[in-house]
Amino acid sequence: MSTNRAILIIDMQKGSFTPKTPRYDSEGVVKRINQLSLYFRENNQSVIIIQHDGSQNNEFIPNTEEWEVLDSLTLNPDDIYINKFINDAFYKSKLDETLKDLNITELYFTGCATDFCIESTIQSAIAKDYSVTIVSDAHTTADRPQLKAKQVIDHYNWVWQNMIPNQNEVKVLTTNEIIR
């Protein structure tokens, strides 16, 4: 088993999961992320928690309740925390530097929101020549004005399956396909 893999858990923060902002299959997504992060830890692979840092002009101000990671996520003291400032978790963050320091070349994507932070970070990872696997049943989003959340998720899973990467593969697999 390769140790140069990491699971990215993007924006699973309390402010994204409120009665005002319901997310598709939140409980199921959290359950599957917990299964995957346990699997990664048991195989001595990195678990990276990415938190959006807002500013005084918007939400997710660091160290506020809405900025905190969901209580239902199983965390470990060895998990790596990365702060991000826009949708793309690579932009002006320590993500790329941390991955290079740990010699990580394969990234597994989970989290919130499919059509914003997950999508832009995947595009950036592909442009940086990382091997990308999207966990098709471990990312979520909310209903949008023209589409239901499930449609958005299905659409992006299809887009990612049909990507043309630079050199590394882009795979879309379920939690069970990865753990098997």
Side-chain angles (χ1 to χ4, degrees):
M1 179 88 33
S2 169
T3 57
N4 62 346
R5 301 187 324 170
I7 182 171
L8 302 183
I9 302 171
I10 299 174
D11 293 355
M12 294 297 285
Q13 293 165 265
K14 292 177 182 177
S16 292
F17 293 83
T18 69
K20 278 189 351 195
T21 58
R23 303 293 171 172
Y24 177 78
D25 189 25
S26 296
E27 282 183 36
V29 168
V30 168
K31 177 183 165 210
R32 289 183 287 277
I33 289 173
N34 284 338
Q35 289 175 308
L36 285 162
S37 44
L38 175 64
Y39 172 79
F40 271 71
R41 290 181 195 109
E42 287 174 344
N43 287 285
N44 297 315
Q45 297 164 342
S46 298
V47 174
I48 300 175
I49 313 293
I50 297 173
Q51 285 176 275
H52 183 82
D53 283 5
S55 69
Q56 295 299 335
N57 301 330
N58 57 26
E59 303 169 306
F60 300 97
I61 297 166
N63 305 310
T64 62
E65 186 174 359
E66 69 180 2
W67 175 83
E68 294 173 4
V69 175
L70 293 173
D71 293 333
S72 53
L73 273 181
T74 305
L75 305 175
N76 183 297
D78 293 332
D79 294 345
I80 299 163
Y81 287 80
I82 302 283
N83 300 68
K84 72 176 188 64
F85 313 97
I86 66 170
N87 291 353
D88 176 2
F90 284 97
Y91 181 79
K92 293 187 179 180
S93 78
K94 294 188 185 296
L95 180 57
D96 198 40
E97 174 188 333
T98 301
L99 295 171
K100 284 180 171 52
D101 287 347
L102 296 170
N103 198 32
I104 293 169
T105 58
E106 296 179 48
L107 302 177
Y108 288 69
F109 284 83
T110 68
C112 183
T114 301
D115 44 342
F116 287 94
C117 300
I118 306 291
E119 161 63 6
S120 61
T121 305
I122 286 169
Q123 293 289 347
S124 193
I126 291 168
K128 293 176 184 342
D129 291 323
Y130 286 97
S131 209
V132 168
T133 299
I134 298 96
V135 188
S136 63
D137 56 357
H139 61 89
T140 188
T141 197
D143 288 344
R144 303 302 183 204
Q146 296 82 14
L147 296 170
K148 295 289 182 199
K150 176 77 167 100
Q151 292 173 294
V152 173
I153 292 164
D154 289 345
H155 171 75
Y156 277 96
N157 282 335
W158 178 85
V159 167
W160 296 323
Q161 269 179 317
N162 292 286
M163 296 285 300
I164 302 171
N166 291 341
Q167 61 187 18
N168 293 311
E169 278 187 283
V170 174
K171 293 181 271 190
V172 180
L173 301 171
T174 65
T175 299
N176 288 335
E177 288 172 323
I178 293 165
I179 292 175
R180 248 192 265 141

